[in-house]
């Protein structure tokens, strides 16, 4: 069964290692897993109930909601900023959590992975992201974890797609996410 997985990257930087990690997931996705990278998180305004009304929802937020609604699962890639997830990813989750109880993320299988400069690879950000998307209604795969430390050194000369260990780990994450979404 083909499973549509939407990837959201919590870094807006052009040379982001998390963006590269998402590209590696696309390249090494197992058969039956179709991963699409969502473009446009930078265009979404901060969540505000005053603009989240029918007929007034910003086009960028509406596009995000539609992309998530059309997906079978979500794969979130996040760096760690000051010990937590970046605002752009939290904002996306906030838009996806509405309307309360019926947001686009409700019931979707979700895995959270990423890389960061520090020695723990962003585990605090990953934990916070799992918590936030779980509260928003996502079906978080709590035991699916991949936090790659030392991103600046590890990926200084090697794209994550060309790192055999990372490629194998990403393939396993995507396979688990695929299995969960296919069983739903």
């Amino acid at each position: 069964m083909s499973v549509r997985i939407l990837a959201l990257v919590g870094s807006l930087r052009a040379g982001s290692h998390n963006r590269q990690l998402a590209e590696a997931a696309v390249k090494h996705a197992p058969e039956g897993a179709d991963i699409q990278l969502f473009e446009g998180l930078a265009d979404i305004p901060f969540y505000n109930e005053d603009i989240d009304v029918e007929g007034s929802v910003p086009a960028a937020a509406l596009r995000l909601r539609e992309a998530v609604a059309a997906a079978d699962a979500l794969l979130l890639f996040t760096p760690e900023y000051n010990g937590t997830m970046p605002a752009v990813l939290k904002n996306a989750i906030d838009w996806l959590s509405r309307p309360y109880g019926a947001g686009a993320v409700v019931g979707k299988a979700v895995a959270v992975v990423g890389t960061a400069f520090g020695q723990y690879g962003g585990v605090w950000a990953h934990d916070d992201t799992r918590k936030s998307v779980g509260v928003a209604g996502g079906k978080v795969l709590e035991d699916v974890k991949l936090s790659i430390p030392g991103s600046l050194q590890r990926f200084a000369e090697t794209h994550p797609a060309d790192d055999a260990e990372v490629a194998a780990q990403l393939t396993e994450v995507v396979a688990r996410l695929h299995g969960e979404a296919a069983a739903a």
Side-chain angles (χ1 to χ4, degrees):
M1 171 185 173
S2 182
V3 172
R4 294 167 306 199
I5 299 171
L6 187 67
L8 303 181
V9 180
S11 174
L12 301 178
R13 191 172 62 84
S16 163
H17 293 123
N18 280 283
R19 169 74 182 202
Q20 292 176 1
L21 201 58
E23 293 166 355
V26 170
K27 180 177 179 179
H28 295 290
E31 187 174 331
D34 175 30
I35 302 176
Q36 299 294 317
L37 270 65
F38 182 82
E39 303 289 350
L41 288 185
D43 301 327
I44 301 170
F46 282 112
Y47 183 80
N48 177 344
E49 285 182 77
D50 291 342
I51 61 173
D52 188 12
V53 293
E54 193 169 333
S56 296
V57 176
L62 191 56
R63 197 168 70 77
L64 172 66
R65 285 177 171 169
E66 290 169 350
V68 171
D72 299 307
L74 295 176
L75 183 54
L76 307 182
F77 293 85
T78 185
E80 187 169 273
Y81 293 174
N82 298 311
T84 192
M85 74 178 103
V88 68
L89 187 56
K90 176 65 169 77
N91 187 50
I93 293 168
D94 289 345
W95 277 102
L96 295 171
S97 72
R98 305 294 197 275
Y100 180 77
V105 74
V106 172
K108 302 277 183 187
V110 181
V112 178
V113 299
T115 186
F117 171 71
Q119 66 181 338
Y120 301 111
V123 292
W124 289 347
H126 304 170
D127 289 345
D128 287 345
T129 303
R130 284 184 198 91
K131 176 184 175 185
S132 183
V133 76
V135 169
K139 186 176 178 186
V140 179
L141 282 64
E142 294 287 350
D143 63 331
V144 175
K145 297 181 179 181
L146 178 58
S147 301
I148 303 167
S151 61
L152 292 180
Q153 294 82 20
R154 182 156 192 168
F155 304 125
E157 309 224 357
T158 303
H159 191 286
D162 300 324
D163 182 313
E165 179 184 17
V166 169
Q169 292 171 325
L170 277 172
T171 300
E172 176 59 26
V173 165
V174 174
R176 294 278 310 280
L177 187 56
H178 176 277
E180 186 67 33

